[in-house]
Amino acid sequence: DIEIKNEKRFFEYGIGRFLVKNVAKEKYNIKDAEIILDNNKPIFKNANLYFNISHSKNIVIACFNDSPCGIDIEFIKEKDLDSFSKYFKQNFKTQEDFYKFWTYKEASYKLGCEVKDSYFGKFENNYYLTVVSNKLFSNSFKMPILYSII
């Protein structure tokens, strides 16, 4: 079991799990959508469907794929680009440059292996989103199909 001390994070965690389990049952016909941890990464115990969840501000979002995937979403707020450029040894010219870098970094970390393909862009005008996979996206890639405004 996981211990979450922050009430907001606990709520986001619960909403994410609830949405993923319901989509697994309704869209992918997974009868037993029990989620377990495998190397600290949530997976379905009895299904060959991978998923990943992210949340930021009032959005919880998930992606599904037939191979491991990672997702990160961030609410866009002004960042000190000079400071972040120095810290990360990057040249962020725009807020979008920074959020593309940051969400890719986070999604890649959650993937936990080499990134072979990625999707990124603005979401709902105020968010930046990146999805990564360990193999090339194909017709089997299940784009982020759910989100909940909380």
Side-chain angles (χ1 to χ4, degrees):
D1 283 325
I2 191 167
E3 182 180 336
I4 304 172
K5 296 178 181 176
N6 179 301
E7 186 175 326
K8 181 179 184 297
R9 302 288 276 177
F10 181 75
F11 184 68
E12 292 167 340
Y13 170 88
I15 292 289
R17 294 293 176 103
F18 175 79
L19 291 172
V20 164
K21 285 181 175 187
N22 279 302
V23 168
K25 289 176 183 176
E26 297 297 320
K27 181 161 178 50
Y28 300 109
N29 298 316
I30 295 173
K31 303 291 183 236
D32 179 6
E34 180 182 355
I35 296 172
I36 61 169
L37 291 179
D38 181 26
N39 292 325
N40 270 346
K41 187 171 183 166
I43 62 167
F44 290 116
K45 182 177 181 180
N46 299 307
N48 291 325
L49 179 67
Y50 295 87
F51 69 92
N52 198 245
I53 305 168
S54 184
H55 43 82
S56 181
K57 196 169 179 176
N58 63 343
I59 296 278
V60 177
I61 192 166
C63 62
F64 296 83
N65 202 3
D66 59 0
S67 67
C69 52
I71 188 170
D72 188 53
I73 190 166
E74 296 289 334
F75 180 75
I76 298 169
K77 54 187 173 190
E78 289 294 313
K79 298 289 187 185
D80 179 349
L81 297 179
D82 289 335
S83 294
F84 281 105
S85 291
K86 288 176 189 169
Y87 183 81
F88 290 111
K89 297 177 177 58
Q90 301 282 324
N91 185 17
F92 303 124
K93 294 182 194 272
T94 66
Q95 297 296 318
E96 191 167 308
D97 287 345
F98 169 75
Y99 280 104
K100 180 178 179 182
F101 166 83
W102 184 255
T103 57
Y104 182 86
K105 179 178 170 44
E106 290 289 307
S108 299
Y109 175 78
K110 290 162 79 176
L111 176 63
C113 57
E114 182 183 0
V115 173
K116 297 280 177 97
D117 208 352
S118 61
Y119 164 84
F120 50 86
K122 279 187 141 181
F123 182 80
E124 293 285 312
N125 295 322
N126 299 341
Y127 294 84
Y128 204 83
L129 168 74
T130 297
V131 181
V132 296
S133 177
N134 72 335
K135 66 182 199 180
L136 295 177
F137 292 143
S138 65
N139 291 336
S140 67
F141 175 59
K142 318 299 193 259
M143 283 298 292
I145 59 163
L146 67 96
Y147 72 97
S148 176
I149 299 174
I150 54 176

